């Protein structure tokens, strides 16, 4: 029954998503926006402390809109457009912005009835507003980088009194109203049908839309989640990108349909500048992209600025949302790093994960019982394969009642968790948003008593079918519901749970098996009397928020949570991790996982991954090995499989494949110090952990479209093998002034070239960038907890200038003491003039460690040293034994005992 429902989900969602939504938003706005021209009333503009306000009037309807332009700290502009006097308030997305952005007063450089020029008085950015027709140009250094509404696609449907009521009230005197109603009924706007479902819009259609022209840009990225290429494609000949969270089983790849999550944020990059557009709207959204080559592009405006534009290409982006207001943030960069910081200033940075969550996770739907868990756990130890987390899917509960345990399968969950605890391992269990309708289920009874469920449009509790059968859905948009739900994770409320238990939020798009497109009806009612259509894409965001808060409260604010969510929105990075959902055990899904994760990473969600091996189907041994090799170099590393698939624990494919998978997982654990340091940079500075090449090489045009390889931080380049029976792969090594070292052989190549690398089944091409220093662990334990005191090593890869830099971050790995008590260690490494120095990178932190650096490899050292000595902070020199390989230009220092938290130097003479 389960698999039939899931298969139906796949088919139904595909059919509906390719038909109805294009009719609803796209067709209407394309037909009707041609009739609407807007004019700005600039002579009455008011320039206040926080914003500049002016009216925009439709020449067709004569109805006015209110526009507000804000300058925000950090080179951000915000544009809000709303009805000036709406029939009732329109939905504005709350809780995504970390706080009210600090505004910068905009001042008028010049202005009259025809135009207005605003600047913050600090930088070179200007906002040029033209009155008729309404248009905004964003100008930098006398060059237009972005235009708003230059194509005249501003579209704003006003909330209306139901037309039949209006006609009755006016005794049908106004025949034009009837004609208008007929036009709208032809487009199915007031009442839409989805099979047996009827979606009645009480106040009529309320969609909004606006176009943005990006001058000189042809490389755009972002707006996850789609199983598509990293670089956004031209949509002029096909479907628009859809942002609408849906449960899609075995989603189609190379498709623009919406799947589990939505981040309405894209980045544009060209030589010399990066921009971002953050469209803050949680309703169903379409994004059209059209790139006009330079030869076809001629500006209609005149003047010296226009003349500079004529030789450039242009990409037009058209955003269309079903409801809400226009609330858009323009992130002006100019560098990729600047845009990341600007976006994180608005929505927050990646939560600092507990260290265990960066290890390997073992999951399947479902491990059968406590004995099964015990045997799988022992299997990892028996085969010397490290792992950190065991996962339980929905079958661990009593009849899909979350916060319960199946008494036959899991009669003693605490004992099971103590077994895992004894090996420093954790447990993750699932908790979905649907609650089984059962008068004997305490969670259901308490939620119903307090009115905590989403309501249907008739006022009763919304009811839909999901895993437990008939269910109601918690209204996580209600702060009181979130507070109550958070309380369910206390040890007294969640019987059988312990402090090593963490949470997985699934099915939170929300998934409703017999609903339209397998989700909730759009006219369901949430807290504040808002319809579901207004906030659909943010529903899962709220569940993860409440879950993370519950785990923090459980520890009285002391411990970091770990929460994985399938559905997400802008800002979800603040609450945990995301994965790519129900993928398939095929080579094409392994390949598409790379651009999918890159897109998530650049839109703020660094802690992301794809199910290793593919959730659906049975991977052949070669595919499984290649997927483990790829997953080991991706942020969230979990093996997962659906029910009725063959068991695929790493030791079930024969001794040789076990060895290869063991090697891949152990390599992950070797690099944990580097991983943890990267997540610290993501947490404090919004730098993605997994990066497309164009971020690190923004001036290298050949890197802009690469999506089969990527950078981990700034030091490691990874090229997973994604083709069967591959014996070689072509690896692009960027940077004309770079040198790259093979992490396995230590062979080196100059950059700005493509090299052919042999890839036997035990090889994944990984290169260390010259000029970097990577911290590693020299020994691997059963789990991260076993490795706390194990020694470190440093891999020093010299640049063409014979220098290198790196950093290292350490704290207790689980608490908030790094934040509240500044209990952390942040060190920087530098190699310059033949001296390796370990020094403090942040004097605020204090976290003494007994761990030592016992091994140092220096790659690219061109001459054999005569001696190597260490110098401690007291100035004392000690000679060190070393090995030098002239053929590979490699220096090895071993059996060292240099405290990781102390200042010291290594002199190579």
């Amino acid at each position: 029954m389960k698999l039939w429902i899931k298969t139906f989900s796949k088919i139904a969602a595909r059919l509906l998503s390719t038909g109805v939504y294009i009719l609803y938003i796209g067709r209407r706005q394309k037909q009707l926006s041609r009739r609407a021209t807007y004019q700005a009333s600039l002579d009455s503009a008011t320039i206040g402390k926080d914003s500049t306000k002016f009216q925009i009037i439709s020449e067709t309807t004569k109805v006015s809109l209110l526009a507000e332009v804000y300058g925000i700290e950090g080179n951000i502009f915000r544009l809000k457009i709303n009805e000036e006097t709406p029939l009732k308030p329109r939905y504005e997305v709350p809780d995504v912005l970390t706080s009210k952005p600090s505004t910068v007063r905009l001042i008028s450089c010049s202005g009259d009835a025809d135009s207005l020029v605003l600047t913050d008085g600090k930088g070179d950015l200007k906002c040029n507003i033209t009155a008729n027709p309404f248009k905004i140009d964003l100008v930098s250094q006398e060059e237009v980088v972005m235009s708003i509404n230059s194509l005249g696609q501003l579209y704003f449907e006003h909330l209306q009194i139901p037309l039949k009521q209006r006609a009755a009230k006016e005794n049908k005197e106004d025949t034009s109203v009837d004609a208008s109603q007929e036009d709208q009924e032809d487009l199915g706007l007031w009442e839409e049908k989805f099979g047996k479902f009827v979606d009645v819009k009480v106040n009529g259609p309320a969609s909004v839309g606006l176009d943005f022209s990006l001058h000189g840009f042809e490389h755009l990225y972002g707006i996850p989640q789609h199983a598509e290429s990293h670089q956004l494609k031209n949509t002029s000949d096909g479907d628009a990108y859809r942002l609408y969270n849906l449960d899609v089983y075995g989603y189609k790849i190379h498709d623009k349909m919406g799947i589990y999550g939505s981040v309405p944020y894209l980045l544009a990059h060209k030589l010399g500048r990066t921009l971002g557009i953050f469209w803050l709207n949680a309703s169903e959204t379409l994004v059209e992209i059209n790139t006009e080559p330079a030869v076809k592009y001629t500006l209609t405006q005149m003047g010296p600025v226009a003349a500079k534009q004529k030789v450039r290409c242009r990409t037009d982006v058209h955003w269309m949302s079903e409801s809400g207001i226009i609330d858009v943030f323009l992130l002006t960069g100019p560098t990729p790093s600047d845009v990341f910081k600007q976006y994180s200033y608005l929505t927050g940075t990646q939560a600092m994960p507990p260290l265990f969550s960066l290890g390997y996770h073992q999951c399947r739907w479902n491990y059968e019982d406590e004995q099964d868990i015990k045997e799988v756990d022992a299997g990892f130890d028996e085969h010397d394969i490290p792992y950190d987390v065991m996962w339980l899917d929905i079958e661990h509960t009593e009849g899909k009642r979350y916060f319960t345990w199946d008494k036959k399968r899991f009669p003693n969950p605490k004992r099971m968790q103590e077994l895992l605890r004894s090996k420093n391992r954790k447990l993750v269990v699932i908790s979905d948003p649907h609650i089984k309708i059962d008068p004997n289920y305490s969670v259901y009874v308490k939620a119903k008593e307090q009115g905590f469920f989403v309501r249907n449009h008739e006022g009763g509790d919304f009811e839909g079918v999901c895993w437990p059968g008939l269910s109601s859905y918690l209204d996580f948009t209600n702060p009181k519901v979130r507070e109550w739900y958070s309380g369910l994770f206390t040890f007294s409320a969640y019987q059988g749970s312990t402090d090593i238990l963490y949470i997985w939020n699934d099915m939170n798009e929300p998934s409703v098996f017999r609903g339209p497109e397998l989700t909730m009806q759009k006219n369901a009612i949430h807290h504040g009397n808002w319809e579901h259509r207004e906030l659909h894409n943010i529903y899962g965001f709220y569940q993860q928020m409440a879950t993370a808060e519950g785990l923090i409260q459980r520890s009285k604010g002391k411990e970091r949570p770990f929460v994985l969510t399938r559905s997400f929105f802008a800002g979800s990075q603040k609450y945990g991790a995301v994965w790519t959902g129900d993928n398939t055990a095929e080579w094409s899904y392994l390949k598409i996982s790379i651009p999918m994760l890159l897109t998530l990473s650049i839109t703020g969600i660094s802690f992301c991954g794809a199910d290793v091996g593919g959730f659906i189907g049975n991977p052949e041994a070669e595919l499984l090995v290649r997927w483990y090799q790829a997953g080991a170099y991706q942020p969230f590393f979990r093996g997962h499989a659906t029910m009725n698939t063959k068991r695929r624990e790493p030791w079930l494919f024969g001794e040789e494949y076990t060895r290869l998978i063991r090697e891949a997982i152990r390599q992950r654990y070797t690099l944990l110090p580097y991983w943890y340091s990267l997540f610290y940079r993501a947490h404090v500075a919004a730098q993605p952990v997994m990066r497309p090449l164009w971020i690190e090489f923004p001036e290298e045009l050949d890197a802009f479209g690469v999506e089969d390889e990527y950078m981990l931080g700034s030091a490691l380049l990874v090229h997973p093998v994604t083709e069967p029976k591959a014996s070689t792969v072509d690896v692009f090594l960027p940077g004309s002034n770079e040198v790259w070292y093979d992490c396995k052989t230590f062979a080196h190549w100059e950059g700005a070239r493509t090299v052919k690398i042999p890839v036997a089944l035990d090889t994944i091409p990984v290169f260390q960038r010259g000029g970097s220093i990577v911290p590693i662990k020299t020994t691997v334990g059963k789990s991260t907890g076993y490795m706390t005191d194990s020694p470190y090593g440093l891999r020093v890869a010299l640049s063409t200038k014979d220098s290198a830099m790196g950093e290292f971050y350490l704290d207790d790995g689980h608490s908030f003491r790094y934040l509240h008590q500044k209990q952390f260690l942040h060190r920087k490494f530098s190699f310059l003039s033949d001296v390796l120095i370990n020094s403090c990178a942040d004097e605020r932190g204090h976290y003494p460690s007994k761990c030592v650096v016992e091994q140092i490899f220096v790659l690219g050292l061109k001459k054999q040293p005569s001696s190597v000595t260490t110098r401690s902070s007291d100035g004392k020199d000690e000679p060190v034994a070393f090995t030098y390989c002239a053929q590979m230009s490699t220096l090895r220092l071993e059996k060292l005992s240099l405290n990781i938290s102390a200042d010291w130097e290594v002199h190579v003479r």
Side-chain angles (χ1 to χ4, degrees):
M1 178 66 178
K2 251 182 183 178
L3 291 178
W4 180 87
I5 290 173
K6 278 287 197 176
T7 303
F8 174 71
S9 170
K10 174 183 176 182
I11 296 169
R14 178 62 187 155
L15 289 174
L16 287 168
S17 68
T18 53
V20 174
Y21 81 91
I22 291 176
L23 168 67
Y24 176 66
I25 303 175
R27 179 182 159 205
R28 179 165 82 258
Q29 290 206 15
K30 286 179 181 179
Q31 286 189 8
L32 301 182
S33 65
R34 300 190 192 102
R35 309 177 193 172
T37 302
Y38 286 90
Q39 179 175 343
S41 224
L42 297 180
D43 51 353
S44 60
T46 60
I47 301 177
K49 178 181 177 182
D50 292 327
S51 67
T52 297
K53 300 180 181 181
F54 53 91
Q55 286 182 325
I56 306 175
I57 301 172
S58 167
E59 294 185 359
T60 304
T61 65
K62 305 303 180 184
V63 178
S64 65
L65 301 172
L66 177 65
E68 298 175 85
V69 178
Y70 299 78
I72 297 175
E73 281 188 1
N75 292 327
I76 302 170
F77 285 95
R78 182 182 194 178
L79 172 65
K80 293 181 72 172
I81 301 177
N82 197 355
E83 294 186 54
E84 190 166 35
T85 55
L87 189 64
K88 62 182 182 180
R90 296 179 70 114
Y91 188 74
E92 298 186 39
V93 178
D95 302 315
V96 167
L97 302 182
T98 56
S99 61
K100 183 180 179 181
S102 297
T103 57
V104 177
R105 186 184 182 100
L106 298 176
I107 52 180
S108 173
C109 297
S110 62
D112 51 33
D114 298 321
S115 66
L116 178 64
V117 180
L118 301 174
T119 178
D120 62 9
K122 296 180 180 180
D124 70 316
L125 290 168
K126 294 179 181 178
C127 185
N128 295 357
I129 305 171
T130 303
N132 191 17
F134 167 63
K135 185 182 70 161
I136 297 177
D137 288 323
L138 196 63
V139 178
S140 174
Q141 296 179 344
E142 301 305 315
E143 184 176 272
V144 178
V145 293
M146 182 190 301
S147 298
I148 301 173
N149 201 43
S150 61
L151 303 181
Q153 292 177 327
L154 170 59
Y155 190 82
F156 208 107
E157 292 180 312
H158 296 259
L159 300 178
Q160 302 173 62
I161 298 172
L163 290 170
K164 292 180 181 179
Q165 292 181 22
R166 190 191 313 170
K169 183 177 180 181
E170 297 175 358
N171 295 317
K172 299 182 181 180
E173 293 177 359
D174 188 353
T175 56
S176 65
V177 171
D178 293 334
S180 173
Q181 182 175 7
E182 287 178 8
D183 289 345
Q184 295 193 7
E185 285 177 347
D186 286 343
L187 290 174
L189 305 185
W190 284 74
E191 183 174 293
E192 283 190 286
K193 294 182 179 179
F194 299 80
K196 66 178 182 178
F197 298 98
V198 178
D199 178 21
V200 177
K201 302 172 186 65
V202 176
N203 296 110
S207 74
V208 299
L210 189 60
D211 64 90
F212 301 78
S213 295
L214 304 171
H215 302 287
F217 293 88
E218 54 185 331
H219 293 88
L220 273 64
Y221 314 91
I223 55 172
Q225 188 181 39
H226 305 92
E228 253 293 6
S229 60
H230 177 54
Q231 182 179 339
L232 297 174
K233 295 178 178 177
N234 196 316
T235 65
S236 57
D237 297 327
D239 293 343
Y241 286 91
R242 188 190 194 196
L243 296 174
Y244 192 60
N245 299 354
L246 292 173
D247 173 9
V248 187
Y249 183 76
Y251 46 82
K252 184 179 178 181
I253 63 174
H254 298 298
D255 195 284
K256 299 179 184 66
M257 69 180 293
I259 47 178
Y260 311 101
S262 298
V263 181
Y265 163 48
L266 64 75
L267 297 89
H269 179 69
K270 65 178 180 179
L271 297 174
R273 183 175 284 273
T274 309
L275 296 174
I277 300 175
F278 174 33
W279 177 268
L280 184 53
N281 191 298
S283 68
E284 179 182 0
T285 297
L286 301 178
V287 185
E288 293 182 331
I289 296 170
N290 182 46
T291 300
E292 294 288 347
V295 293
K296 294 183 180 180
Y297 177 33
T298 303
L299 281 182
T300 56
Q301 61 178 320
M302 301 303 291
V305 174
K308 294 180 182 179
Q309 309 297 319
K310 291 184 179 179
V311 297
R312 300 190 298 164
C313 63
R314 185 190 75 205
T315 297
D316 300 319
V317 182
H318 185 195
W319 298 81
M320 296 170 279
S321 291
E322 180 178 356
S323 58
I325 68 167
I326 292 173
D327 189 1
V328 60
F329 295 83
L330 310 177
L331 315 181
T332 65
T335 69
S337 180
D338 291 330
V339 172
F340 298 144
K341 290 175 183 176
Q342 289 158 358
Y343 180 70
S344 71
Y345 173 73
L346 299 172
T347 67
T349 62
Q350 177 66 57
M352 187 65 190
L355 179 60
F356 78 81
S357 64
L358 302 185
Y360 174 64
H361 301 246
Q362 182 65 31
C363 185
R364 88 173 267 112
W365 178 21
N366 203 91
Y367 284 116
E368 297 297 326
D369 50 33
E370 290 178 8
Q371 183 61 30
D372 197 5
I373 292 289
K374 184 176 180 180
E375 291 175 359
V376 172
D377 176 75
F380 278 91
D381 295 337
E382 179 185 343
H383 294 90
D384 195 25
I385 301 173
Y387 92 101
D388 264 79
V389 193
M390 183 66 69
W391 290 55
L392 290 175
D393 210 316
I394 53 177
E395 311 302 335
H396 83 278
T397 63
E398 188 70 42
K400 318 301 185 297
R401 297 169 181 86
Y402 305 108
F403 303 97
T404 69
W405 303 86
D406 186 303
K407 295 180 178 60
K408 292 182 179 179
R409 294 180 172 192
F410 298 93
N412 198 334
K414 285 190 175 181
R415 180 179 62 190
M416 174 180 65
Q417 289 167 76
E418 290 308 314
L419 168 69
L420 296 174
R421 185 197 302 276
S422 70
K423 302 176 183 180
N424 291 307
R425 290 170 178 154
K426 317 296 180 187
L427 179 71
V428 168
V429 300
I430 200 165
S431 184
D432 293 348
H434 50 262
I435 303 297
K436 181 178 177 66
I437 296 177
D438 177 0
N440 296 314
Y441 176 27
S442 63
V443 173
Y444 170 76
V445 172
K446 292 176 182 177
K448 185 171 181 63
E449 285 175 352
Q450 298 177 82
F452 282 171
F453 291 120
V454 178
R455 292 173 289 129
N456 59 40
H457 66 279
E458 295 171 344
D461 289 344
F462 175 85
E463 296 181 356
V465 175
C466 208
W467 298 133
L470 198 61
S471 304
S472 288
Y473 288 72
L474 290 169
D475 184 4
F476 290 106
T477 68
N478 185 341
K480 291 184 178 179
V481 175
R482 296 198 299 272
E483 182 181 1
W484 172 80
Y485 185 77
S486 295
L488 297 180
F489 294 98
T490 62
F491 301 125
S492 58
Y494 192 174
Q495 295 292 311
S497 67
T498 74
D499 61 354
I500 70 158
L501 180 146
Y502 297 86
I503 300 298
W504 167 22
N505 294 150
D506 197 8
M507 312 298 288
N508 53 346
E509 291 75 28
S511 178
V512 183
F513 289 156
R514 296 175 188 170
E517 298 197 77
L518 285 299
T519 193
M520 189 174 284
Q521 283 101 299
K522 289 184 175 181
N523 59 1
I525 304 299
H526 289 266
H527 173 67
N529 212 34
W530 295 110
E531 286 191 315
H532 185 71
R533 78 180 76 254
E534 307 280 359
L535 49 83
H536 172 84
N537 286 343
I538 205 172
Y539 181 85
F541 166 95
Y542 277 124
Q543 188 194 13
Q544 190 187 25
M545 174 198 289
T547 304
E549 183 58 32
L551 294 183
I552 293 171
Q553 290 178 9
R554 182 184 73 175
S555 70
K556 296 180 170 51
K558 296 178 181 178
E559 299 295 312
R560 291 176 233 167
F562 171 75
V563 184
L564 178 74
T565 183
R566 190 170 73 176
S567 183
F568 55 87
F569 191 69
S572 287
Q573 66 270 11
K574 296 189 292 287
Y575 306 114
V578 161
W579 92 108
T580 61
D582 297 348
N583 58 1
T584 299
E586 297 174 6
W587 288 91
S588 58
Y589 282 82
L590 167 59
K591 191 170 187 176
I592 201 68
S593 71
I594 300 171
M596 290 179 74
L597 297 179
L598 288 174
T599 298
L600 285 168
S601 296
I602 66 165
T603 51
I605 303 175
S606 271
F607 203 1
C608 57
D611 285 341
V612 170
F615 177 66
I616 303 162
N618 298 299
E620 60 198 78
E622 182 193 5
L623 173 58
L624 189 62
V625 168
R626 292 302 193 192
W627 217 317
Y628 269 102
Q629 290 171 343
Y633 288 95
Q634 292 167 354
F636 176 59
F637 186 25
R638 180 183 75 159
H640 189 29
T642 187
M643 60 165 40
N644 299 330
T645 57
K646 297 176 183 177
R647 294 291 285 255
R648 61 167 89 146
E649 285 72 36
W651 52 87
L652 296 179
F653 292 81
E655 187 174 333
E656 178 60 15
Y657 294 109
T658 300
R659 179 185 68 82
L660 294 170
I661 294 173
R662 178 193 303 118
E663 196 174 284
I665 296 176
R666 287 176 68 86
Q667 187 56 234
R668 168 62 165 234
Y669 280 75
T670 296
L671 281 171
L672 277 174
Y674 183 61
W675 279 107
Y676 201 55
S677 299
L678 290 181
F679 269 95
Y680 180 68
R681 295 304 303 168
H683 179 55
V684 300
Q687 300 305 302
V689 171
M690 183 177 175
R691 307 172 185 176
L693 297 189
W694 64 266
I695 290 177
E696 284 297 313
F697 302 93
E699 300 301 315
E700 187 148 347
L701 193 60
D702 289 343
F704 292 5
V706 175
E707 62 176 36
D708 57 355
E709 62 188 51
Y710 53 90
M711 299 292 294
L712 282 184
S714 60
L716 297 181
L717 184 150
V718 184
H719 188 115
V721 180
T722 60
E723 299 291 340
K725 298 180 173 56
S727 58
T728 61
V729 294
D730 292 332
V731 179
F732 173 61
L733 300 175
S736 57
N737 296 317
E738 303 284 345
V739 59
W740 297 90
Y741 299 86
D742 188 312
C743 288
K744 185 175 183 179
T745 67
F746 300 149
H748 65 275
W749 288 266
E750 293 179 354
R753 68 188 63 212
T754 298
V755 296
K756 193 173 291 293
I757 303 297
V759 285
L761 196 51
D762 65 349
T763 302
I764 173 175
V766 180
F767 295 83
Q768 185 170 344
R769 185 180 184 178
S772 68
I773 300 176
V774 173
I776 64 170
K777 283 285 188 177
T778 57
T779 59
V780 172
K782 292 182 178 180
S783 64
T784 56
Y786 275 89
M787 298 169 61
T788 301
D789 297 323
S790 62
Y792 292 93
L794 298 178
R795 293 178 181 170
V796 182
L798 299 185
S799 69
T800 54
K801 297 180 180 179
D802 296 326
S803 62
M805 299 286 289
E807 66 177 341
F808 169 77
Y809 175 82
L810 180 67
D811 58 27
D812 64 19
H814 61 85
S815 78
F816 286 108
R817 292 190 191 98
Y818 79 94
L819 184 63
H820 302 311
Q821 285 87 37
K822 303 302 179 186
Q823 293 185 12
F824 66 86
L825 179 69
H826 190 192
R827 308 294 295 179
K828 61 182 178 183
F829 305 114
S830 64
F831 189 97
L832 187 65
S833 302
D834 294 330
V835 180
L836 173 65
I837 300 174
N838 176 14
S839 59
C840 182
D842 189 341
E843 297 286 353
R844 296 174 303 167
H846 299 280
Y847 188 72
S849 172
K850 297 179 181 179
C851 289
V852 299
V853 174
E854 71 166 11
Q855 179 190 89
I856 298 173
F857 289 179
V858 182
L859 311 180
L861 192 66
K862 298 181 178 64
K863 61 179 181 178
Q864 180 169 343
S866 58
S867 68
V868 178
T869 58
T870 62
R871 179 176 297 170
S872 58
S873 56
D874 61 8
K876 185 178 179 180
D877 288 356
E878 295 285 346
V880 175
F882 63 90
T883 304
Y884 180 77
C885 175
Q887 182 179 359
M888 301 304 297
S889 302
T890 302
L891 173 69
R892 293 174 180 257
L893 310 179
E894 299 181 286
K895 298 183 180 179
L896 302 170
S897 187
L898 302 169
N899 187 280
I900 191 71
S901 61
D903 291 351
W904 44 257
E905 299 175 358
V906 176
H907 292 255
V908 180
R909 296 181 174 88

